[in-house]
Amino acid sequence: MAATTMPIGAHVPQQDPIAEARSRGTTVVQFFLGEPQSYKGPVIAYAGGAAGLRADAEAAGVDLYVHAPYIVNVATTNNRIRIPSRKLLQQHMDAAAEIGAKGLIVHGGHVDKGADPTVGFDNWRKAVEATDIKVPLLLENTAGGDNAMARHLDRIAQVWDAIAAAEGADRVGFCLDTCHAWAGGIELGTAVEKILGITGRIDLVHANDSRDGFDSGADRHANFGSGHIDQAGFVDIVRAAGAPVICETPGGAEQHLADFAWLRERL
Protein backbone atom coordinates (compact mmCIF):
# COMPACT_ATOMS: atom_id res chain seq x y z
CA MET A 1 0.00 0.00 0.00
CA ALA A 2 1.56 3.28 -1.13
CA ALA A 3 1.98 5.92 1.53
CA THR A 4 -0.06 8.38 -0.53
CA THR A 5 -3.07 6.03 -0.64
CA MET A 6 -2.78 4.71 2.91
CA PRO A 7 -6.10 5.25 4.70
CA ILE A 8 -5.65 7.22 7.93
CA GLY A 9 -8.53 7.27 10.39
CA ALA A 10 -9.18 7.37 14.11
CA HIS A 11 -10.85 5.73 17.07
CA VAL A 12 -14.16 7.56 17.47
CA PRO A 13 -17.30 7.58 19.64
CA GLN A 14 -19.69 4.77 18.72
CA GLN A 15 -23.00 6.66 18.43
CA ASP A 16 -22.49 7.72 14.78
CA PRO A 17 -19.19 6.46 13.33
CA ILE A 18 -20.11 7.68 9.84
CA ALA A 19 -20.60 11.27 11.00
CA GLU A 20 -17.34 10.98 12.95
CA ALA A 21 -15.58 9.80 9.79
CA ARG A 22 -16.99 12.72 7.79
CA SER A 23 -15.91 15.23 10.42
CA ARG A 24 -12.37 13.91 10.06
CA GLY A 25 -12.42 13.63 6.26
CA THR A 26 -11.59 9.93 6.44
CA THR A 27 -12.95 6.63 5.16
CA VAL A 28 -11.85 4.45 8.08
CA VAL A 29 -12.81 4.52 11.76
CA GLN A 30 -12.59 2.28 14.81
CA PHE A 31 -14.87 2.23 17.84
CA PHE A 32 -16.15 0.14 20.72
CA LEU A 33 -19.51 -1.60 20.72
CA GLY A 34 -20.59 -1.01 24.30
CA GLU A 35 -18.40 -0.40 27.33
CA PRO A 36 -14.68 -1.26 27.07
CA GLN A 37 -14.52 -2.39 30.72
CA SER A 38 -17.76 -4.37 30.92
CA TYR A 39 -18.79 -7.99 30.48
CA LYS A 40 -22.33 -6.90 29.61
CA GLY A 41 -21.88 -7.54 25.90
CA PRO A 42 -21.96 -5.36 22.80
CA VAL A 43 -24.41 -2.53 22.25
CA ILE A 44 -25.17 -1.05 18.84
CA ALA A 45 -25.55 2.64 19.66
CA TYR A 46 -26.18 3.73 16.07
CA ALA A 47 -29.73 4.98 15.61
CA GLY A 48 -30.34 2.69 12.64
CA GLY A 49 -29.16 -0.42 14.46
CA ALA A 50 -26.68 -2.94 13.10
CA ALA A 51 -28.30 -3.29 9.68
CA GLY A 52 -28.58 0.47 9.30
CA LEU A 53 -24.97 1.04 10.25
CA ARG A 54 -23.78 -1.58 7.80
CA ALA A 55 -25.84 -0.18 4.95
CA ASP A 56 -25.00 3.45 5.69
CA ALA A 57 -21.28 2.72 6.04
CA GLU A 58 -21.24 0.88 2.73
CA ALA A 59 -23.10 3.73 1.04
CA ALA A 60 -20.67 6.27 2.51
CA GLY A 61 -17.60 4.20 1.62
CA VAL A 62 -16.49 4.06 5.27
CA ASP A 63 -14.60 1.01 6.59
CA LEU A 64 -15.47 0.07 10.17
CA TYR A 65 -13.19 -1.61 12.71
CA VAL A 66 -14.33 -2.75 16.15
CA HIS A 67 -12.08 -2.83 19.21
CA ALA A 68 -12.98 -5.60 21.65
CA PRO A 69 -13.32 -4.63 25.32
CA TYR A 70 -10.06 -4.19 27.19
CA ILE A 71 -11.11 -6.77 29.77
CA VAL A 72 -11.08 -9.63 27.26
CA ASN A 73 -8.25 -11.95 28.32
CA VAL A 74 -8.46 -15.35 26.64
CA ALA A 75 -4.90 -16.26 27.72
CA THR A 76 -5.39 -16.23 31.48
CA THR A 77 -5.29 -19.36 33.60
CA ASN A 78 -8.08 -17.91 35.75
CA ASN A 79 -11.28 -19.60 34.53
CA ARG A 80 -13.43 -16.87 36.09
CA ILE A 81 -11.89 -14.45 33.60
CA ARG A 82 -11.02 -16.70 30.67
CA ILE A 83 -14.46 -18.28 30.21
CA PRO A 84 -16.44 -14.98 30.22
CA SER A 85 -13.71 -13.48 28.03
CA ARG A 86 -14.28 -16.13 25.39
CA LYS A 87 -18.02 -15.52 25.55
CA LEU A 88 -17.53 -11.76 25.27
CA LEU A 89 -15.14 -12.19 22.34
CA GLN A 90 -17.71 -14.24 20.45
CA GLN A 91 -20.44 -11.71 21.18
CA HIS A 92 -18.34 -8.89 19.80
CA MET A 93 -17.33 -11.00 16.83
CA ASP A 94 -20.98 -11.59 16.03
CA ALA A 95 -21.81 -7.89 16.40
CA ALA A 96 -18.80 -6.86 14.30
CA ALA A 97 -19.99 -9.17 11.54
CA GLU A 98 -23.52 -7.75 11.73
CA ILE A 99 -22.26 -4.23 11.04
CA GLY A 100 -19.90 -5.39 8.28
CA ALA A 101 -16.69 -4.55 10.15
CA LYS A 102 -13.35 -5.17 8.46
CA GLY A 103 -11.85 -6.56 11.64
CA LEU A 104 -12.14 -7.06 15.40
CA ILE A 105 -9.08 -5.98 17.38
CA VAL A 106 -8.25 -7.73 20.65
CA HIS A 107 -5.35 -7.37 23.06
CA GLY A 108 -3.04 -10.31 23.65
CA GLY A 109 -3.87 -10.61 27.34
CA HIS A 110 -1.68 -12.15 30.03
CA VAL A 111 -1.29 -15.00 32.46
CA ASP A 112 -1.31 -14.57 36.22
CA LYS A 113 1.96 -13.96 38.05
CA GLY A 114 3.82 -17.23 38.48
CA ALA A 115 1.76 -19.05 35.84
CA ASP A 116 3.41 -20.95 33.01
CA PRO A 117 3.20 -18.74 29.90
CA THR A 118 2.96 -21.80 27.67
CA VAL A 119 -0.49 -22.38 29.15
CA GLY A 120 -1.45 -18.89 28.02
CA PHE A 121 -0.21 -19.57 24.50
CA ASP A 122 -2.27 -22.76 24.34
CA ASN A 123 -5.29 -20.93 25.75
CA TRP A 124 -5.02 -18.63 22.75
CA ARG A 125 -5.06 -21.66 20.44
CA LYS A 126 -8.14 -22.98 22.22
CA ALA A 127 -9.84 -19.58 22.03
CA VAL A 128 -9.30 -19.35 18.27
CA GLU A 129 -10.71 -22.84 17.80
CA ALA A 130 -13.69 -22.05 20.07
CA THR A 131 -14.55 -18.80 18.29
CA ASP A 132 -16.70 -18.63 15.17
CA ILE A 133 -14.46 -16.10 13.41
CA LYS A 134 -16.73 -14.20 11.03
CA VAL A 135 -14.49 -11.15 10.40
CA PRO A 136 -10.69 -11.03 10.76
CA LEU A 137 -9.60 -11.27 14.40
CA LEU A 138 -6.62 -8.93 14.82
CA LEU A 139 -4.22 -9.63 17.70
CA GLU A 140 -2.72 -6.40 19.04
CA ASN A 141 0.66 -6.07 20.75
CA THR A 142 0.49 -4.54 24.22
CA ALA A 143 2.67 -2.17 26.21
CA GLY A 144 3.09 -3.53 29.71
CA GLY A 145 3.28 -6.49 32.00
CA ASP A 146 5.96 -9.12 32.48
CA ASN A 147 3.33 -11.83 32.02
CA ALA A 148 1.86 -10.39 28.80
CA MET A 149 1.34 -12.59 25.77
CA ALA A 150 2.06 -9.88 23.19
CA ARG A 151 4.48 -7.35 24.66
CA HIS A 152 7.88 -8.77 23.71
CA LEU A 153 8.79 -10.25 20.32
CA ASP A 154 9.62 -13.68 21.73
CA ARG A 155 6.20 -13.92 23.35
CA ILE A 156 4.47 -12.68 20.20
CA ALA A 157 6.29 -15.43 18.29
CA GLN A 158 5.19 -18.08 20.77
CA VAL A 159 1.56 -17.02 20.87
CA TRP A 160 1.54 -16.79 17.07
CA ASP A 161 2.94 -20.31 16.78
CA ALA A 162 0.17 -21.53 19.06
CA ILE A 163 -2.49 -19.70 17.03
CA ALA A 164 -1.05 -21.12 13.81
CA ALA A 165 -1.80 -24.61 15.09
CA ALA A 166 -5.48 -23.78 15.54
CA GLU A 167 -8.29 -24.43 13.13
CA GLY A 168 -9.34 -20.98 11.91
CA ALA A 169 -5.83 -19.52 12.16
CA ASP A 170 -6.12 -18.14 8.62
CA ARG A 171 -8.72 -15.67 9.94
CA VAL A 172 -6.36 -14.25 12.57
CA GLY A 173 -4.29 -11.18 11.68
CA PHE A 174 -2.09 -8.67 13.47
CA CYS A 175 -2.55 -5.08 14.62
CA LEU A 176 0.70 -3.23 15.31
CA ASP A 177 0.45 -0.43 17.88
CA THR A 178 3.40 1.98 17.73
CA CYS A 179 3.01 3.31 21.28
CA HIS A 180 2.70 -0.20 22.66
CA ALA A 181 5.77 -1.35 20.73
CA TRP A 182 7.85 1.59 21.98
CA ALA A 183 6.66 1.39 25.58
CA GLY A 184 6.91 -2.39 25.47
CA GLY A 185 10.58 -2.32 24.57
CA ILE A 186 10.47 -3.25 20.87
CA GLU A 187 13.03 -1.34 18.77
CA LEU A 188 10.96 0.54 16.20
CA GLY A 189 13.66 0.51 13.53
CA THR A 190 13.28 -3.23 13.03
CA ALA A 191 9.79 -3.75 14.45
CA VAL A 192 7.95 -4.18 11.14
CA GLU A 193 10.59 -6.51 9.72
CA LYS A 194 10.54 -8.67 12.85
CA ILE A 195 6.76 -8.71 13.22
CA LEU A 196 6.39 -9.72 9.56
CA GLY A 197 9.00 -12.40 10.14
CA ILE A 198 6.80 -13.80 12.91
CA THR A 199 3.29 -13.29 11.56
CA GLY A 200 3.76 -12.77 7.83
CA ARG A 201 1.21 -9.96 7.98
CA ILE A 202 0.28 -6.62 9.48
CA ASP A 203 -3.39 -5.89 8.86
CA LEU A 204 -3.80 -2.64 10.78
CA VAL A 205 -1.61 -0.01 12.45
CA HIS A 206 -2.58 1.78 15.63
CA ALA A 207 -0.50 4.93 15.17
CA ASN A 208 0.15 6.60 18.50
CA ASP A 209 2.99 8.62 19.95
CA SER A 210 3.95 7.77 23.54
CA ARG A 211 3.76 10.01 26.59
CA ASP A 212 6.41 7.83 28.28
CA GLY A 213 9.86 6.54 27.56
CA PHE A 214 11.14 3.45 25.76
CA ASP A 215 10.39 0.16 27.56
CA SER A 216 8.44 2.05 30.24
CA GLY A 217 5.55 -0.42 30.08
CA ALA A 218 3.13 2.52 30.15
CA ASP A 219 0.19 2.52 27.73
CA ARG A 220 -0.24 6.28 27.48
CA HIS A 221 -0.88 7.65 24.01
CA ALA A 222 0.15 11.09 22.77
CA ASN A 223 -0.60 13.13 19.67
CA PHE A 224 1.90 12.85 16.84
CA GLY A 225 5.18 14.65 17.44
CA SER A 226 4.36 15.49 21.06
CA GLY A 227 5.59 12.31 22.74
CA HIS A 228 8.85 10.44 23.25
CA ILE A 229 8.99 8.48 19.99
CA ASP A 230 11.58 9.71 17.47
CA GLN A 231 9.57 11.44 14.76
CA ALA A 232 11.41 9.93 11.81
CA GLY A 233 11.22 6.48 13.37
CA PHE A 234 7.51 6.87 13.98
CA VAL A 235 6.85 7.76 10.35
CA ASP A 236 9.12 4.97 9.12
CA ILE A 237 7.25 2.27 11.03
CA VAL A 238 3.87 3.48 9.74
CA ARG A 239 5.19 3.61 6.18
CA ALA A 240 6.89 0.22 6.39
CA ALA A 241 3.81 -1.52 7.80
CA GLY A 242 1.83 -0.57 4.68
CA ALA A 243 -1.56 -1.10 6.34
CA PRO A 244 -4.58 1.08 7.13
CA VAL A 245 -3.88 3.46 10.02
CA ILE A 246 -6.04 4.14 13.05
CA CYS A 247 -5.00 6.99 15.36
CA GLU A 248 -5.95 6.43 18.98
CA THR A 249 -4.63 9.80 20.02
CA PRO A 250 -6.21 12.23 22.51
CA GLY A 251 -8.88 14.70 21.46
CA GLY A 252 -11.68 14.88 18.95
CA ALA A 253 -11.99 15.67 15.25
CA GLU A 254 -9.83 18.81 15.41
CA GLN A 255 -6.91 17.05 17.08
CA HIS A 256 -7.21 14.01 14.83
CA LEU A 257 -7.21 16.17 11.70
CA ALA A 258 -3.99 17.76 12.95
CA ASP A 259 -2.49 14.31 13.50
CA PHE A 260 -3.55 13.17 10.03
CA ALA A 261 -1.96 16.26 8.46
CA TRP A 262 1.25 15.82 10.50
CA LEU A 263 1.59 12.23 9.30
CA ARG A 264 0.65 12.82 5.67
CA GLU A 265 3.22 15.60 5.36
CA ARG A 266 5.94 13.11 6.31
CA LEU A 267 4.85 9.89 4.59
Side-chain angles (χ1 to χ4, degrees):
M1 185 179 295
T4 53
T5 60
M6 190 181 294
I8 302 174
H11 186 95
V12 301
Q14 59 192 303
Q15 284 74 18
D16 192 345
I18 300 167
E20 299 290 351
R22 288 185 179 129
S23 70
R24 292 162 175 80
T26 185
T27 59
V28 56
V29 288
Q30 172 188 284
F31 46 93
F32 293 113
L33 289 175
E35 295 297 327
Q37 299 287 2
S38 173
Y39 285 107
K40 291 181 180 178
V43 175
I44 307 295
Y46 190 68
L53 179 53
R54 180 174 191 149
D56 291 348
E58 288 176 357
V62 174
D63 288 343
L64 310 176
Y65 286 86
V66 175
H67 200 303
Y70 295 134
I71 57 171
V72 169
N73 182 5
V74 299
T76 181
T77 51
N78 184 338
N79 287 342
R80 289 177 295 177
I81 296 174
R82 181 169 53 86
I83 293 171
S85 288
R86 278 198 197 175
K87 178 181 178 182
L88 193 60
L89 183 64
Q90 185 65 67
Q91 290 173 332
H92 281 263
M93 175 62 70
D94 295 344
E98 287 179 5
I99 66 169
K102 302 300 181 182
L104 173 66
I105 299 95
V106 61
H107 287 179
H110 59 275
V111 294
D112 292 343
K113 185 176 181 180
D116 184 351
T118 60
V119 177
F121 305 143
D122 197 51
N123 281 343
W124 253 104
R125 177 190 64 80
K126 292 176 181 177
V128 170
E129 291 188 339
T131 304
D132 182 7
I133 302 178
K134 301 174 179 178
V135 304
L137 179 65
L138 306 183
L139 172 66
E140 180 182 353
N141 62 302
T142 51
D146 293 335
N147 305 304
M149 295 287 98
R151 174 180 178 177
H152 300 296
L153 289 168
D154 60 334
R155 290 282 179 86
I156 294 172
Q158 288 172 287
V159 75
W160 198 261
D161 283 347
I163 289 171
E167 184 178 347
D170 59 318
R171 296 286 281 162
V172 181
F174 195 82
C175 174
L176 175 60
D177 188 301
T178 58
C179 172
H180 295 178
W182 166 266
I186 296 176
E187 295 286 350
L188 295 192
T190 56
V192 169
E193 176 186 358
K194 290 185 175 180
I195 290 293
L196 288 175
I198 293 167
T199 67
R201 58 194 291 174
I202 295 174
D203 300 83
L204 188 69
V205 173
H206 281 174
N208 303 297
D209 206 333
S210 174
R211 289 169 56 185
D212 293 272
F214 182 76
D215 204 19
S216 63
D219 183 2
R220 300 171 68 192
H221 299 182
N223 296 98
F224 300 166
S226 67
H228 282 77
I229 300 179
D230 170 76
Q231 294 186 15
F234 176 80
V235 175
D236 286 347
I237 191 173
V238 174
R239 183 189 297 116
V245 174
I246 292 290
C247 308
E248 298 176 316
T249 49
E254 182 179 353
Q255 290 77 18
H256 291 155
L257 282 165
D259 281 336
F260 297 173
W262 186 98
L263 184 56
R264 287 197 181 101
E265 286 172 6
R266 292 162 174 79
L267 284 173

